[in-house]
Amino acid sequence: MDIEAQSKGRGGTRTIDVMSAIRAKVAGRALGAGDRLPSIRSLAATIGVSPSTVVEAYDRLAAEGLIRARRGSGFYVAPTVTPPFALTEVEPRRDRAVDPFWVSRQSLDADAAVPKPGCGWLPPEWMPEAAMRRAIRALARADDSVLTNYGSTSGSLALRRLLLARLAEDAIEASIDQLMLTGSGTQATDLVCRFLLRPGDAVLVDDPCYFNFRALLRAHQVKIIGVPYTPSGPDVARFETILAGERPRLYITNSALHNPTGATLSLQIAHRLLTTAAAHDLTIIEDDIFGDFEPERSPRLAALDGLNRVIHIGSFSKTLSASVRCGYIAARADWIEHLVDLQVATSFGGPSPVATEIIARVLAGGSYRKHMDELRQKLTRARRDVARKLQALGIEPWLMPRGGFFLWCRLAGGQDSTAVARAALEEDVLLAPGNVFSVSQTASRFMRFNVTHMNDPQMWDVLRRVLKAAGQ
Amino acid sequence: MDIEAQSKGRGGTRTIDVMSAIRAKVAGRALGAGDRLPSIRSLAATIGVSPSTVVEAYDRLAAEGLIRARRGSGFYVAPTVTPPFALTEVEPRRDRAVDPFWVSRQSLDADAAVPKPGCGWLPPEWMPEAAMRRAIRALARADDSVLTNYGSTSGSLALRRLLLARLAEDAIEASIDQLMLTGSGTQATDLVCRFLLRPGDAVLVDDPCYFNFRALLRAHQVKIIGVPYTPSGPDVARFETILAGERPRLYITNSALHNPTGATLSLQIAHRLLTTAAAHDLTIIEDDIFGDFEPERSPRLAALDGLNRVIHIGSFSKTLSASVRCGYIAARADWIEHLVDLQVATSFGGPSPVATEIIARVLAGGSYRKHMDELRQKLTRARRDVARKLQALGIEPWLMPRGGFFLWCRLAGGQDSTAVARAALEEDVLLAPGNVFSVSQTASRFMRFNVTHMNDPQMWDVLRRVLKAAGQ
């Protein structure tokens, strides 16, 4: 554990020696649970170290949980903690239902060594690590208040200014009071849903769509309706019929590099969607989380609409860091005002100032554009190479996306992708079966592949084997 | 701005010179909105610098928003951004209603220079700044995956282990699968509310209680019922009557150092609460955010109940950092399983691994206990000194708390505390009037003071003046 290494770095070897001596006594049962440890003064005198060394050693052992301080009465050996507690943590539950939560929980909790063609993010080595470390070192020298205070309710002004400039590149002209920062992109979507939806409302998503939209909407207890997705956006005729018939309150979509298909909304469909939405007073969440992966900018609903009925959402989890959590919402200023209140009530304040400081530094440093240029080139090659290899296994991309890291594919052998994913997980490979993305459950022959997590030859062996077994 | 200083630190003066030259041209209208900038190659040749210097300068100016990159076609001057946008940001809105959101929004958005006796946190100089900086420097050397990956769904195992040891010090024996990390203490409470409550449910809080419980419950559209709070806990007779009559689903409280009163739950009342709760199948959220400020540990509901119907919640915002956001929930393992799903759906994963790494390092470093010991001593003195000064103004503490930084006081001159707070805000002093804490709106003569934000003599002048004016 890194924290252990840190302890050794400070405080000197004497502290470590005292800690080892106590640990040995506990391990050898010379000291049992509940026993009082020698007083600081007496132990220091006995073994010939300074009292502060003993204090340091006791404090660290207490932080580890081996001993406990009782205020005013010294230190005692803690009750024994049974180690098997941690087992369920390391092994993700394999017996869970393959529902919209399945991919997220399996992929987030999987061991780092497990190949994850089913996951929705880039491997660490594809991320701008050097810029991140530089930003964190600078953070260590920031003002006290950045390190310890709550942030403002709308989030860092510096980062919001940088974001306005970036939105303007997509022709989304917003003012500073139309922009707020949130704890993550998902939290941004959730906040808007809390603001707009009541249990029982109808909400429209693409079919297929990002599986976590389904999980999120389930948490809001709304009626989820799917509209079939085509290579240039949702099926407009069906969209119009659904709006007229079901009167959904909200539509959630990705315009640029749609998840899971990698498709891009055409300008013509964007226009028709907005016209129909206006006729039925529909609000639209445009989740732009993959926008920066586009080689050339495609039209954004928020740009056409002028942030009137479109709420534009994004984050830095895919391009910069998913560990430093921060999302944003661009919307009508009066809605932002309400959303800020809602964020105060439910999170107390905006995102971590430590997080926004790191992100603002990386963005302001100017290396972000170069990083994204290189990333787009690498991804073009990776998509092409992986598509070729998949085709050799009878797995056909539904379309070749213009950018991003997903390939939405049909299993040409007629296999059921849920069965394939379950079998692959038995062999420690995480896949994303089609139906977790599908409201109508009509994607059982499909699978989403993340081309950046497909370098491991053993993973390909597993894939070949489970496909063959499922095809028989 | 710090980010500016960082830019100067890297890349050299030539980059800065190029940036200044472009800025001057834009300011002097030699380059207008939409004009194309010289190509990188030609500008480099003209002014005799390397192309990479020009690239660096353009990238930084683009990050600032002064110019924009169009992929494949160079850089252009961005449309002029009107500066007054930021004004509403710097000035918190003074005309807002004094409701449960009032103190949070005013205090979170106030300028650092504004004295804030009404706020709910410690000033930066009372926080363990050196330990924080040490932890952040260590973070800059952490594994790639810590810096860029999503975390596990329950949050850092290392931090949860440290937390189990700390909970055990309060006699709360939990296993690792009974503990999850969240984005903040407020998010922990919100998550539990989402899990347990439906619109229209009745929920019980103390009267007075932490104002944000009221804001949070309003967001959940539940019926909020208040139970009068006594110096040793809620009024038990009223508690029993309310449970029998209104059948609330949930009770939210602080056992140790109740906010705003600073009172502590007695063992006897704790026992009676739990007995009554069991008879009416009531769930209790015990928010322990001020627990570490106690000089001696008082009984916790979670310890008596064994995490059966009590859900124990906490965070590090008051003792370590409110900027590095992280809270936790200890509860029944089957509830934690559901809460983790809910957190995945609504936030995608647990809290920031960057945040949990920083907190775990500070806790494991062992200096936390010493920091808290010193803090408790400083606070004892501050409470006594401020109480004396307040009494001289006819402001009487309702009780002298055993710990913490709040004094819940009665304005003996009969002033209305909302009017006093409004008048003080006009003079740039933020106060917390009683009724924001009161469901029954019966605390108009009370005010909560944060003793750590009351060193400024001018603040005392303002307080004296507005009290006098309101008393006339």
Side-chain angles (χ1 to χ4, degrees):
Chain A
M1 185 165 75
D2 269 345
I3 288 164
E4 191 69 14
Q6 175 205 25
S7 305
K8 281 182 191 140
R10 296 191 310 112
T13 52
R14 289 196 171 172
T15 307
I16 307 293
D17 290 346
V18 177
M19 290 171 76
S20 304
I22 304 291
R23 276 201 203 96
K25 290 210 175 201
V26 173
R29 314 263 173 199
L31 277 170
D35 285 354
R36 192 177 189 281
L37 269 74
S39 78
I40 286 159
R41 203 169 292 267
S42 76
L43 184 61
T46 309
I47 59 179
V49 299
S50 76
S52 68
T53 301
V54 179
V55 167
E56 174 85 11
Y58 280 13
D59 275 352
R60 289 203 203 160
L61 291 170
E64 285 176 13
L66 187 75
I67 67 174
R68 289 187 193 163
R70 288 192 203 143
R71 284 181 204 153
S73 78
F75 288 83
Y76 295 79
V77 178
T80 319
V81 178
T82 329
F85 283 147
L87 280 183
T88 55
E89 190 50 27
V90 180
E91 295 284 323
R93 317 283 164 88
R94 304 243 148 145
D95 53 350
R96 287 180 64 101
V98 181
D99 63 10
F101 293 92
W102 190 83
V103 175
S104 20
R105 289 206 59 171
Q106 298 290 355
S107 58
L108 290 169
D109 288 337
D111 189 88
V114 170
K116 300 179 198 64
C119 86
W121 55 87
L122 294 174
E125 62 272 21
W126 292 60
M127 299 297 255
E129 181 212 330
M132 285 287 299
R133 291 188 198 279
R134 218 161 34 229
I136 293 170
R137 284 196 299 270
L139 174 70
R141 299 186 299 270
D143 284 351
D144 280 16
S145 60
V146 172
L147 302 187
T148 60
N149 263 0
Y150 291 94
S152 72
T153 59
S154 311
S156 152
L157 192 57
L159 180 53
R160 283 187 294 144
R161 287 202 171 123
L162 290 165
L163 268 170
L164 285 186
R166 291 162 47 79
L167 288 173
E169 288 185 28
D170 282 329
I172 300 168
E173 302 288 347
S175 59
I176 197 85
D177 58 353
Q178 289 185 285
L179 188 62
M180 67 182 281
L181 305 182
T182 63
S184 67
T186 305
Q187 281 187 50
T189 311
D190 182 49
L191 213 52
V192 173
C193 287
R194 291 178 90 146
F195 174 53
L196 291 174
L197 302 178
R198 295 296 162 262
D201 279 354
V203 176
L204 190 60
V205 293
D206 301 314
D207 192 348
C209 72
Y210 172 40
F211 52 77
N212 208 52
F213 290 160
R214 296 181 58 211
L216 175 66
L217 291 172
R218 200 184 275 189
H220 284 273
Q221 300 170 71
V222 293
K223 182 182 172 189
I224 309 172
I225 306 166
V227 56
Y229 207 76
T230 80
S232 47
D235 178 322
V236 183
R238 290 284 294 277
F239 187 86
E240 286 165 357
T241 311
I242 292 167
L243 259 61
E246 308 261 5
R247 305 229 153 241
R249 177 76 192 87
L250 181 68
Y251 170 47
I252 311 182
T253 191
N254 316 109
S255 306
L257 301 178
H258 174 256
N259 182 1
T261 64
T264 297
L265 183 68
S266 76
L267 186 57
Q268 197 187 356
I269 293 188
H271 171 65
R272 279 188 62 184
L273 289 184
L274 286 173
T275 309
T276 314
H280 294 92
D281 199 23
L282 175 80
T283 303
I284 300 176
I285 294 181
E286 177 173 59
D287 175 9
D288 201 41
I289 192 159
F290 296 103
D292 279 357
F293 288 102
E294 281 194 314
E296 282 161 23
R297 296 281 170 172
S298 64
R300 296 293 191 279
L301 291 168
L304 265 72
D305 169 70
L307 289 176
N308 176 26
R309 61 178 62 257
V310 174
I311 298 171
H312 190 76
I313 276 173
S315 93
F316 306 92
S317 299
K318 307 302 178 188
T319 52
L320 202 154
S321 166
S323 172
V324 178
R325 312 219 69 197
C326 177
Y328 60 86
I329 305 176
R332 284 166 43 174
D334 57 334
W335 287 2
I336 291 290
E337 184 79 3
H338 288 295
L339 289 166
V340 165
D341 273 350
L342 203 48
Q343 179 159 265
V344 167
T346 58
S347 307
F348 207 71
S352 156
V354 156
T356 52
E357 183 78 9
I358 293 173
I359 292 169
R361 278 173 191 278
V362 174
L363 290 184
S367 63
Y368 182 75
R369 199 179 63 90
K370 201 186 300 169
H371 160 68
M372 285 309 301
D373 279 344
E374 288 167 6
L375 202 49
R376 279 188 291 265
Q377 288 172 25
K378 270 174 82 174
L379 286 171
T380 302
R381 288 194 297 275
R383 285 194 307 274
R384 195 190 49 214
D385 295 348
V386 170
R388 206 172 287 152
K389 280 175 146 171
L390 287 171
Q391 281 164 332
L393 296 181
I395 300 176
E396 283 296 329
W398 184 67
L399 60 71
M400 273 308 285
R402 298 162 54 241
F405 45 84
F406 292 138
L407 292 178
W408 177 244
C409 299
R410 173 182 280 277
L411 306 185
Q415 298 95 336
D416 176 73
S417 59
T418 299
V420 169
R422 273 197 186 284
L425 194 62
E426 289 297 321
E427 302 203 43
D428 279 329
V429 170
L430 178 85
L431 299 173
N435 270 348
V436 305
F437 302 91
S438 172
V439 174
S440 61
Q441 294 290 289
T442 51
S444 64
R445 303 290 179 232
F446 284 83
M447 199 159 251
R448 187 192 73 181
F449 291 97
N450 179 336
V451 300
T452 64
H453 284 266
M454 300 183 75
N455 275 328
D456 181 352
Q458 286 184 5
M459 183 279 300
W460 285 98
D461 290 342
V462 170
L463 191 57
R464 227 168 271 129
R465 202 157 51 234
V466 295
L467 280 170
K468 198 174 166 196
Q472 281 164 355
Chain B
M1 188 162 71
D2 268 345
I3 289 166
E4 193 68 17
Q6 174 205 25
S7 305
K8 282 182 189 142
R10 297 191 309 112
T13 52
R14 288 195 171 174
T15 308
I16 307 293
D17 289 346
V18 177
M19 291 171 75
S20 303
I22 304 292
R23 275 203 204 98
K25 290 209 174 202
V26 173
R29 313 262 173 197
L31 279 170
D35 286 354
R36 195 176 186 281
L37 269 75
S39 78
I40 287 160
R41 205 171 292 268
S42 76
L43 183 62
T46 310
I47 60 176
V49 300
S50 74
S52 68
T53 301
V54 179
V55 168
E56 174 84 12
Y58 279 14
D59 276 351
R60 289 204 203 160
L61 290 170
E64 284 177 12
L66 186 74
I67 66 174
R68 288 188 193 165
R70 286 190 204 147
R71 282 181 205 154
S73 78
F75 287 83
Y76 296 79
V77 178
T80 318
V81 178
T82 328
F85 283 148
L87 280 183
T88 57
E89 190 51 28
V90 180
E91 294 284 323
R93 317 280 166 90
R94 303 248 150 141
D95 52 352
R96 287 180 64 101
V98 181
D99 62 11
F101 293 92
W102 190 83
V103 175
S104 17
R105 290 206 60 169
Q106 299 291 357
S107 57
L108 291 169
D109 289 338
D111 190 88
V114 169
K116 301 178 199 62
C119 85
W121 56 86
L122 294 175
E125 62 272 20
W126 291 60
M127 300 296 255
E129 180 212 332
M132 284 288 299
R133 292 188 196 279
R134 220 161 33 230
I136 294 171
R137 284 195 299 271
L139 173 71
R141 300 186 299 271
D143 284 351
D144 279 16
S145 60
V146 172
L147 302 187
T148 60
N149 264 1
Y150 289 96
S152 71
T153 59
S154 312
S156 153
L157 192 57
L159 180 53
R160 282 187 295 145
R161 287 203 172 121
L162 290 166
L163 268 171
L164 284 186
R166 291 163 48 79
L167 288 173
E169 286 185 30
D170 282 329
I172 300 168
E173 301 289 344
S175 59
I176 197 86
D177 58 353
Q178 289 185 286
L179 188 62
M180 67 183 282
L181 305 182
T182 63
S184 67
T186 305
Q187 281 186 51
T189 309
D190 182 49
L191 214 52
V192 173
C193 287
R194 291 177 90 146
F195 175 54
L196 292 174
L197 302 178
R198 296 295 162 261
D201 280 354
V203 177
L204 190 59
V205 293
D206 301 315
D207 193 346
C209 71
Y210 172 40
F211 51 77
N212 208 52
F213 291 160
R214 296 182 59 211
L216 175 66
L217 291 171
R218 199 184 276 190
H220 285 272
Q221 299 170 70
V222 294
K223 181 181 171 193
I224 309 171
I225 306 166
V227 57
Y229 207 77
T230 80
S232 46
D235 178 320
V236 184
R238 290 285 291 278
F239 186 85
E240 286 164 358
T241 311
I242 292 166
L243 260 60
E246 309 259 7
R247 304 230 154 241
R249 176 77 193 86
L250 181 69
Y251 170 47
I252 310 182
T253 190
N254 317 111
S255 307
L257 301 177
H258 173 258
N259 183 1
T261 64
T264 299
L265 183 68
S266 77
L267 185 57
Q268 196 186 354
I269 292 187
H271 170 66
R272 281 187 63 182
L273 289 184
L274 286 173
T275 309
T276 312
H280 294 91
D281 199 23
L282 175 81
T283 303
I284 300 176
I285 293 181
E286 177 173 58
D287 175 7
D288 201 41
I289 192 160
F290 297 103
D292 279 357
F293 288 102
E294 281 193 313
E296 280 160 26
R297 296 281 171 174
S298 64
R300 297 294 192 276
L301 290 168
L304 265 72
D305 169 71
L307 289 177
N308 176 27
R309 62 178 61 259
V310 174
I311 298 172
H312 190 78
I313 276 172
S315 94
F316 305 93
S317 300
K318 307 302 179 189
T319 52
L320 203 152
S321 165
S323 171
V324 178
R325 311 219 70 195
C326 177
Y328 59 87
I329 305 176
R332 285 166 43 173
D334 57 334
W335 287 2
I336 291 290
E337 184 80 1
H338 288 296
L339 290 166
V340 165
D341 273 350
L342 203 48
Q343 178 158 263
V344 167
T346 57
S347 307
F348 207 70
S352 157
V354 156
T356 52
E357 183 79 9
I358 293 173
I359 292 169
R361 279 174 190 278
V362 173
L363 290 184
S367 63
Y368 182 76
R369 199 181 63 90
K370 202 185 302 168
H371 160 69
M372 286 308 303
D373 279 343
E374 288 167 7
L375 202 49
R376 280 188 289 266
Q377 287 174 24
K378 269 173 82 174
L379 285 171
T380 302
R381 286 192 297 274
R383 285 193 308 273
R384 194 190 50 212
D385 294 349
V386 170
R388 205 171 290 152
K389 280 175 146 172
L390 287 170
Q391 281 164 331
L393 296 182
I395 300 176
E396 281 296 330
W398 183 67
L399 60 72
M400 272 309 284
R402 297 162 55 241
F405 44 84
F406 293 138
L407 292 177
W408 177 244
C409 299
R410 173 183 280 277
L411 306 185
Q415 298 95 335
D416 176 75
S417 58
T418 299
V420 170
R422 275 198 185 283
L425 194 61
E426 289 295 320
E427 303 203 41
D428 280 328
V429 170
L430 178 84
L431 299 174
N435 270 347
V436 304
F437 303 89
S438 173
V439 174
S440 62
Q441 295 289 290
T442 51
S444 64
R445 303 289 179 236
F446 284 83
M447 197 158 254
R448 188 192 73 181
F449 291 96
N450 179 336
V451 300
T452 64
H453 284 266
M454 300 183 74
N455 274 328
D456 180 352
Q458 285 183 6
M459 182 280 299
W460 285 98
D461 289 344
V462 170
L463 191 58
R464 226 168 274 129
R465 203 158 48 233
V466 294
L467 280 169
K468 196 174 167 194
Q472 280 163 353

